[in-house]
Amino acid sequence: MFPKSTQAQFWMFENEGDLNILRSKTNVAYIESHKNEAPAGAGDGHFLTEQDEADVVFYFSVKMGEFCDKFKPPMPSYVKGTSSHYFKRFYLHNSVMNYHPKEILVTAVYLACKVEEFNVSMQQFIANVQGNQERATKIILNNELLLMQELQFHLTVHNPFRAVEGLLIDIKTRCDSVHSVDSFRPEIQTFLDSVFLTDACMIYAPSQIALAAVIHAASRQKQNLDSYVTESLFGEQGEEAILHIITCVRNIRVMVKNIPDPTPNIKTLCTRLEQCRNQDNNPDSLAYKRKLEELVDEDDLLLEDHIPSKQARLDSDSGDSSGVRALSPRDA
């Protein structure tokens, strides 16, 4: 199922290097298209660097996890996982300077709730948002279609949680040397929460991430799953397959182990972000409000052009058209 999914075909990459190349191109493209907006003498220093953007995205990824953990009613883990996928995918091809992460964050979570059928109304959802809830509602509704478009409408996400359940059942059934398998669950959940702060979900399959989580939890419980993996799970697939999965599991655990602390200068970065962000996409800016007014004016013009054409057809089709003409704005 996963190998044929849009996730596997369009959103999986060979390594972190490939992801960083995309992010670098996104950063350069934004700076090139907005360099004329920089204050005189500021140069490229006015804009965030690729590393600055990575720090900002990481900070808001942590905030997303906290938001999901505190959500009322309690949010299923797979909704949190899908939210993280959406958020990470969006910022592969979009700069934080173009769309602020705090706005995409809540939109990603809201969309994930709908896609994963975690049924909460907008009122219930917004009750979890601090600050101006009416403004947050408008931001979510204005960004929802944008987010889906940038995801190429690939909304189905395969998370590792089902694979984890399958592995735990299999270990209970086929691995007598491992005890108290259900005691692994807290460590597994902590590990998976950390995985979503890395790029592992765009490099490794959900089943590989699930196995890494279970092996990590077992090692924390001083239990060994080596024989289960090499004999029961992959014994019939040969040494090459065993070596491949061992390498994948090791790499995933290294990625989790090397998760950095949020940058201490995040406030400075957020201040700079407010100065260099695209004002056309800033709900608090005059440019954004003018943009909305222009869209409304365009809709009004389209409506005005459309109504007379209908009216003309009514006039021509009616034997006694005096009543119809009386309603025409041209005859008023």
Side-chain angles (χ1 to χ4, degrees), residues 9-10 20 33 36 38 55 79 164 171 212 222 237 241 266 294 326:
Q9 293 179 45
F10 299 100
N20 290 333
S33 61
N36 293 333
D55 289 341
V79 178
V164 164
I171 292 170
K222 307 300 182 184
Q237 297 186 32
I266 188 62
E294 289 171 0

Side-chain angles (χ1 to χ4, degrees), residues 229-250:
V229 173
T230 58
E231 297 172 15
S232 301
L233 205 57
F234 291 96
E236 296 180 358
Q237 297 186 32
E239 291 186 9
E240 187 175 345
I242 293 173
L243 180 60
H244 175 69
I245 193 63
I246 289 175
T247 301
C248 290
V249 167
R250 183 184 298 118

Side-chain angles (χ1 to χ4, degrees), residues 65-138:
E66 294 173 356
F67 177 78
C68 293
D69 290 340
K70 296 176 182 177
F71 197 89
K72 300 296 179 183
M75 181 180 291
S77 296
Y78 54 84
V79 178
K80 181 179 178 181
T82 297
S83 304
S84 179
H85 274 270
Y86 290 169
F87 190 71
K88 286 183 175 297
R89 291 179 187 181
F90 183 86
Y91 284 110
L92 283 180
H93 303 288
N94 292 280
S95 169
V96 299
M97 294 179 282
N98 212 7
Y99 300 100
H100 201 295
K102 67 183 178 184
E103 295 159 9
I104 300 303
L105 184 159
V106 288
T107 308
V109 178
Y110 180 71
L111 180 60
C113 289
K114 294 169 73 172
V115 171
E116 296 290 359
E117 299 183 353
F118 176 51
N119 296 317
V120 291
S121 66
M122 177 61 84
Q123 289 72 23
Q124 287 176 297
F125 186 90
I126 290 300
N128 291 274
V129 178
Q130 297 179 352
N132 189 327
Q133 296 183 350
E134 181 179 355
R135 178 179 179 275
T137 301
K138 291 179 180 178

Side-chain angles (χ1 to χ4, degrees), residues 9-25:
Q9 293 179 45
F10 299 100
W11 299 102
M12 297 296 289
F13 301 85
E14 284 295 321
N15 50 53
E16 289 180 280
D18 288 350
L19 292 166
N20 290 333
I21 288 172
L22 282 178
R23 291 166 179 148
S24 179
K25 289 180 178 178

Side-chain angles (χ1 to χ4, degrees), residues 17-299:
D18 288 350
L19 292 166
N20 290 333
I21 288 172
L22 282 178
R23 291 166 179 148
S24 179
K25 289 180 178 178
T26 298
N27 176 263
V28 170
Y30 179 87
I31 293 173
E32 282 296 314
S33 61
H34 292 83
K35 61 184 178 182
N36 293 333
E37 301 169 12
D44 289 346
H46 173 69
F47 300 101
L48 300 187
T49 65
E50 180 185 348
Q51 184 58 51
D52 292 337
E53 289 207 56
D55 289 341
V56 171
V57 170
F58 178 77
Y59 172 78
F60 282 99
S61 296
V62 174
K63 291 299 177 185
M64 172 183 278
E66 294 173 356
F67 177 78
C68 293
D69 290 340
K70 296 176 182 177
F71 197 89
K72 300 296 179 183
M75 181 180 291
S77 296
Y78 54 84
V79 178
K80 181 179 178 181
T82 297
S83 304
S84 179
H85 274 270
Y86 290 169
F87 190 71
K88 286 183 175 297
R89 291 179 187 181
F90 183 86
Y91 284 110
L92 283 180
H93 303 288
N94 292 280
S95 169
V96 299
M97 294 179 282
N98 212 7
Y99 300 100
H100 201 295
K102 67 183 178 184
E103 295 159 9
I104 300 303
L105 184 159
V106 288
T107 308
V109 178
Y110 180 71
L111 180 60
C113 289
K114 294 169 73 172
V115 171
E116 296 290 359
E117 299 183 353
F118 176 51
N119 296 317
V120 291
S121 66
M122 177 61 84
Q123 289 72 23
Q124 287 176 297
F125 186 90
I126 290 300
N128 291 274
V129 178
Q130 297 179 352
N132 189 327
Q133 296 183 350
E134 181 179 355
R135 178 179 179 275
T137 301
K138 291 179 180 178
I139 286 172
I140 291 170
L141 295 178
N142 287 339
N143 285 323
E144 186 177 16
L145 180 57
L146 165 72
L147 176 58
M148 288 191 287
Q149 289 172 332
E150 293 302 314
L151 297 175
Q152 301 176 41
F153 296 94
H154 300 152
L155 304 181
T156 300
V157 171
H158 294 263
N159 283 299
F161 303 105
R162 282 188 180 180
V164 164
E165 293 302 320
L167 284 169
L168 294 182
I169 292 171
D170 194 50
I171 292 170
K172 290 177 184 178
T173 304
R174 297 200 291 167
C175 192
D176 295 333
S177 61
V178 178
H179 307 287
S180 303
V181 175
D182 285 327
S183 67
F184 294 178
R185 292 184 182 277
E187 291 288 351
I188 289 173
Q189 186 60 56
T190 300
F191 185 87
L192 292 178
D193 286 342
S194 298
V195 163
F196 290 126
L197 297 177
T198 73
D199 288 330
C201 61
M202 291 190 288
I203 300 173
Y204 299 100
S207 58
Q208 294 169 337
I209 294 173
L211 182 59
V214 171
I215 290 175
H216 172 81
S219 67
R220 300 281 288 184
Q221 296 282 340
K222 307 300 182 184
Q223 301 201 56
N224 194 306
L225 291 177
D226 288 354
S227 61
Y228 166 74
V229 173
T230 58
E231 297 172 15
S232 301
L233 205 57
F234 291 96
E236 296 180 358
Q237 297 186 32
E239 291 186 9
E240 187 175 345
I242 293 173
L243 180 60
H244 175 69
I245 193 63
I246 289 175
T247 301
C248 290
V249 167
R250 183 184 298 118
N251 290 344
I252 294 168
R253 294 183 70 182
V254 168
M255 291 175 77
V256 169
K257 183 179 180 180
N258 291 336
I259 291 175
D261 294 326
T263 179
N265 66 334
I266 188 62
K267 289 185 178 180
T268 301
L269 286 179
C270 287
T271 300
R272 289 178 56 205
L273 175 57
E274 289 298 332
Q275 295 169 352
C276 66
R277 69 180 295 191
N278 185 352
Q279 294 305 310
D280 285 345
N281 297 326
N282 180 2
D284 296 325
S285 71
L286 292 175
Y288 181 86
K289 293 172 183 176
R290 283 196 299 269
K291 181 180 172 182
L292 286 183
E293 289 173 359
E294 289 171 0
L295 289 174
V296 171
D297 290 342
E298 287 178 6
D299 289 343

